[in-house]
């Protein structure tokens, strides 16, 4: 399996958690980093199992939604790119086949017309 490159548009778990917490609480002044870490630790220290389960479920739903929309976009792009290449090759091959068939048909028609005309002219001379 090849290692995929990091996609900055997909949030990491800490970004999702922070977004989840800010969505639930009104905006406040940003505390210094050490105070923010202490506040985060204090906020989750007293959580019950039910609160953790709710957070896990909400995170799972949000991450799945974000991943699915990203996967849908990437899949659509790759299919479009692949189909464009396949259709280009098919169109090129079909054009060549039609060109060859048309040349053969025109050659046969012209050859038959010339033969008929020469036969007609020879019959008039006699």
């Amino acid at each position: 399996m090849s290692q995929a490159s990091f996609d900055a548009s997909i949030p990491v778990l800490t970004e999702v958690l922070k977004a989840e917490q800010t969505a639930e609480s009104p905006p406040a002044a940003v505390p210094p980093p050490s105070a923010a870490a202490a506040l985060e630790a204090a906020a989750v220290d007293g959580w019950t199992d039910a609160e953790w389960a709710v957070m896990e479920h909400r995170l799972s739903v949000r991450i799945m939604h974000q991943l699915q929309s990203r996967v849908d976009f990437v899949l659509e792009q790759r299919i479009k790119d692949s189909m464009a290449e396949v259709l280009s090759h098919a169109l090129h091959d079909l054009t060549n086949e039609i060109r060859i068939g048309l040349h053969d048909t025109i050659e046969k028609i012209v050859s038959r017309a010339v033969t008929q005309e020469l036969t007609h002219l020879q019959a008039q001379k006699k």
Side-chain angles (χ1 to χ4, degrees):
M1 179 184 276
S2 64
Q3 184 176 0
S5 62
F6 178 73
D7 187 347
S9 68
I10 299 175
V12 292
L13 184 57
T14 54
E15 292 172 341
V16 174
L17 275 172
K18 287 179 184 177
E20 184 75 23
Q21 289 172 350
T22 57
E24 294 174 357
S25 61
V30 177
S34 60
L39 285 174
E40 285 180 13
V44 296
D45 277 343
W47 280 18
T48 64
D49 287 344
E51 290 172 317
W52 281 109
V54 167
M55 178 58 78
E56 179 183 1
H57 175 72
R58 292 173 82 179
L59 285 172
S60 295
V61 168
R62 178 173 287 174
I63 291 169
M64 285 301 297
H65 176 71
Q66 290 173 346
L67 284 175
Q68 285 173 343
S69 63
R70 182 70 183 154
V71 165
D72 290 346
F73 173 76
V74 170
L75 182 62
E76 186 176 323
Q77 282 302 119
R78 290 196 177 175
I79 289 174
K80 282 181 182 178
D81 293 344
S82 296
M83 289 303 296
E85 186 176 333
V86 167
L87 289 174
S88 175
H89 287 295
L91 183 60
H92 182 264
D93 293 345
L94 183 61
T95 302
N96 282 339
E97 286 181 35
I98 291 172
R99 182 181 296 117
I100 290 168
L102 189 56
H103 287 181
D104 288 346
T105 302
I106 290 172
E107 184 179 338
K108 289 175 185 174
I109 290 171
V110 169
S111 179
R112 188 177 327 137
V114 168
T115 302
Q116 287 175 351
E117 187 63 28
L118 289 175
T119 303
H120 178 70
L121 288 174
Q122 288 174 351
Q124 285 181 350
K125 283 186 174 183
K126 294 181 180 179

